[in-house]
Amino acid sequence: MSTLYMMMAITKRSIQNRLKELYKRNGLEVTFMTLARGTASNEILDCFGLEATEKLIRFSVVTDRMWRNVKADLEQQIRIDVPGTGIAFVVPLSSIGGRNVLEFLTDGQAFEKEEESVMKNTVYELIVVISNYGHMEEIMEAAREKGAGGGTVIHAKGTGMEKAEKFLGVSIVDEKEIAFIVAKAADKNAIMKSIMDKAGLGSPARAVVFSMPVTDTAGLRLQEVQ
């Protein structure tokens, strides 16, 4: 059996080309990127002789084997463990919206589906929706119809999007929006299905959707008492 993870790598923008080549050598080409800025204090920056840096965040879906290989290369070739270079981590996925989307996101990685997520009995899940730019209103409307309270949206750019035609039967653009929706686990399947039905691959939004278990929350008290 294999486990699927969302891998996030947060690095200096200055090494983005090296990171892209590292991913490519490992066969990891379908990724989603967004920009960010580091928040280390001046005291910490001074301590390490660093300057405030602009960051790049890469999201990728990986198997446990892919994670081991990429992690080793990040440590050996990028020296990601050197202060100020970056950080990478993985979060287990609990579900993906459709077999074709699974094949697109894993892009040839050897994967044998587990019967159930390794994290059970979670009250909430984080639903992640990746869509073509400009369709978030219809996506959030579909989510709210099935009990979602709201979401947070970031702008991103996809790489390896030409592979979508092979796996999904459609072409999709590089410019993306990513929505993060925390919802009750009991509502997750209905929310994901609503999004896929109304803004999925057969629509201009071309949305793909997957979820991750949430082990604890704060700030959702009103939902908890409903």
Side-chain angles (χ1 to χ4, degrees):
M1 293 292 186
S2 303
T3 301
L4 280 183
Y5 300 93
M6 167 60 71
M7 180 177 74
M8 293 181 62
I10 305 171
T11 64
K12 298 184 296 185
R13 293 186 203 175
S14 60
I15 66 169
Q16 62 177 299
N17 290 334
R18 292 173 59 199
L19 191 63
K20 181 179 178 181
E21 287 302 313
L22 184 152
Y23 277 32
K24 189 174 182 179
R25 286 195 299 272
N26 281 281
L28 186 59
E29 297 189 47
V30 175
T31 66
F32 302 92
M33 301 175 294
T34 188
L35 303 179
R37 188 174 187 277
T39 60
S41 67
N42 289 334
E43 291 81 2
I44 292 176
L45 293 172
D46 291 342
C47 178
F48 289 108
L50 302 172
E51 296 180 354
T53 55
E54 300 299 307
K55 302 291 185 181
L56 181 72
I57 305 175
R58 282 182 180 264
F59 304 87
S60 315
V61 173
V62 298
T63 61
D64 38 11
R65 176 178 292 182
M66 177 64 78
W67 165 241
R68 289 195 299 270
N69 293 342
V70 171
K71 178 184 177 183
D73 282 354
L74 286 170
E75 292 174 343
Q76 295 168 14
Q77 299 177 27
I78 301 293
R79 302 294 301 276
I80 199 167
D81 49 343
V82 172
T85 302
I87 185 174
F89 56 92
V90 291
V91 180
L93 299 186
S94 56
S95 60
I96 289 182
R99 181 70 189 181
N100 289 344
V101 171
L102 169 64
E103 292 177 352
F104 169 58
L105 292 175
T106 55
D107 184 25
Q109 299 177 56
F111 173 67
E112 184 179 353
K113 187 178 183 298
E114 290 184 322
E115 292 184 3
E116 191 173 354
S117 171
V118 294
M119 298 185 73
K120 306 176 180 68
N121 301 321
T122 53
V123 177
Y124 287 93
E125 296 247 351
L126 175 65
I127 299 171
V128 181
V129 188
I130 302 172
S131 74
N132 286 344
Y133 184 81
H135 296 275
M136 273 300 153
E137 280 193 24
E138 62 208 76
I139 288 168
M140 290 309 305
E141 180 180 347
R144 289 189 186 99
E145 285 180 2
K146 297 300 180 179
T152 300
V153 179
I154 61 174
H155 181 255
K157 183 176 182 181
T159 65
M161 295 300 100
E162 67 280 356
K163 296 177 181 292
E165 198 135 18
K166 172 184 175 182
F167 294 109
L168 307 178
V170 296
S171 59
I172 56 179
V173 298
D174 291 344
E175 295 301 311
K176 299 293 175 190
E177 285 181 305
I178 303 178
F180 299 98
I181 304 168
V182 176
K184 291 181 178 178
D187 297 332
K188 178 198 71 174
N189 289 340
I191 292 170
M192 291 177 66
K193 185 177 186 304
S194 180
I195 293 170
M196 289 187 291
D197 288 345
K198 297 182 179 180
L201 299 176
S203 75
R206 301 278 196 265
V208 299
V209 57
F210 51 89
S211 66
M212 294 177 273
V214 172
T215 57
D216 202 2
T217 64
L220 296 173
R221 183 172 61 86
L222 292 179
Q223 288 192 34
E224 290 168 358
V225 299
Q226 289 177 359

